[in-house]
Amino acid sequence: MSEASETVREPARAGRRRSMIAVLLLAVAAVCLWGASRMTWVEVTSSDGLGEERASALVGGTWAAALTPLALTLVAAIAASFAVKGWALRVLGVLVAVVAVAAAVPAVRLIVSGASDDEAGRLAELPGRADVQSVSVHVGPAVLVLVGALAALVAAVELVRRPRVRAGLSSKYDSPGARRDAAKKAGADPAGEPVTQRMLWDALDAGEDPTVDDKKAEAVDQVDGSDKDPGTRT
């Protein structure tokens, strides 16, 4: 009976373990995206020809405006991971993966291609007469976003692979009659789900012996003659 109980508990333990891993990874990803949105990604030096050169810092929330909303989406995904099950949980995992890819795109583009003068000047909202003198890129925030995106992708995999949990209330809330019926079905179909300790006790309460094989019981019935006294064998 202890082996049957362990067999039943193992999927639940695996599900809880994957849930905790996914929640931690989503939290890390949200913190990374939010932190990167507050850091300086690009510095623009401009001059209008009338005064000294002006330096403008473009933070992640300006250069990649979607970072903050994506971070909030990951926080919402943490709450949703506790509320949904089954196919809805898999849909949530796919959405988290989409968020991770969307966050990684501007970071990869900045690392690979850098920042153009026109885009930097537009985001810095320079006056019309001002000219961009230089643009410097800070790679650190982009790397932080990639770390967060990777954590979100792993969390998405954990959400998709979480073991399915049977819907409905636990069997401990079932009526005694329902538990006895479940015990009889489990005894009639040994190839089905594992028999728990509660099901064995319910079978005994219903007058069934869960330790007796059906084939052996039939053999005993055949040996016992129908015209003879019960329990008499030839």
Side-chain angles (χ1 to χ4, degrees):
M1 290 189 289
S2 60
E3 293 181 358
S5 300
E6 287 298 326
T7 303
V8 173
R9 294 193 188 100
E10 187 59 31
R13 291 175 180 172
R16 287 194 296 268
R17 184 167 56 249
R18 289 189 181 279
S19 297
M20 293 305 301
I21 293 175
V23 167
L24 290 176
L25 290 173
L26 287 174
V28 170
V31 170
C32 289
L33 297 188
W34 182 85
S37 69
R38 299 296 185 269
M39 299 172 68
T40 300
W41 285 47
V42 177
E43 287 186 0
V44 183
T45 302
S46 61
S47 175
D48 57 4
L50 300 178
E52 296 182 355
E53 292 184 349
R54 176 179 129 184
S56 302
L58 300 178
V59 298
T62 302
W63 184 261
L67 284 180
T68 300
L70 292 178
L72 295 177
T73 302
L74 293 178
V75 173
I78 295 176
S81 65
F82 293 104
V84 299
K85 298 178 182 179
W87 64 268
L89 191 63
R90 285 154 179 77
V91 172
L92 178 63
V94 173
L95 292 178
V96 170
V98 172
V99 170
V101 174
V105 168
V108 172
R109 187 177 62 181
L110 183 69
I111 294 175
V112 174
S113 303
S116 64
D117 293 350
D118 293 339
E119 185 177 10
R122 177 177 58 82
L123 293 177
E125 298 180 351
L126 299 178
R129 63 178 180 274
D131 295 326
V132 176
Q133 301 297 317
S134 64
V135 175
S136 59
V137 174
H138 296 262
V139 181
V143 174
L144 183 62
V145 169
L146 293 180
V147 173
L150 180 60
L153 282 176
V154 177
V157 173
E158 293 295 328
L159 291 174
V160 172
R161 294 180 57 189
R162 183 192 295 182
R164 292 185 178 181
V165 180
R166 179 179 297 178
L169 296 176
S170 174
S171 60
K172 67 180 180 179
Y173 298 107
D174 294 339
S175 63
R179 291 198 301 268
R180 285 196 292 268
D181 291 340
K184 291 179 180 179
K185 291 179 181 180
D189 185 13
E193 297 180 356
V195 180
T196 64
Q197 183 176 0
R198 184 59 176 271
M199 294 170 65
L200 293 176
W201 283 113
D202 289 334
L204 293 174
D205 186 36
E208 301 287 340
D209 188 354
T211 62
V212 177
D213 191 3
D214 291 340
K215 294 181 179 180
K216 292 181 180 180
E218 292 176 0
V220 172
D221 292 339
Q222 292 176 0
V223 172
D224 291 341
S226 59
D227 298 335
K228 298 180 183 295
D229 293 336
T232 304
R233 302 188 183 184
T234 58

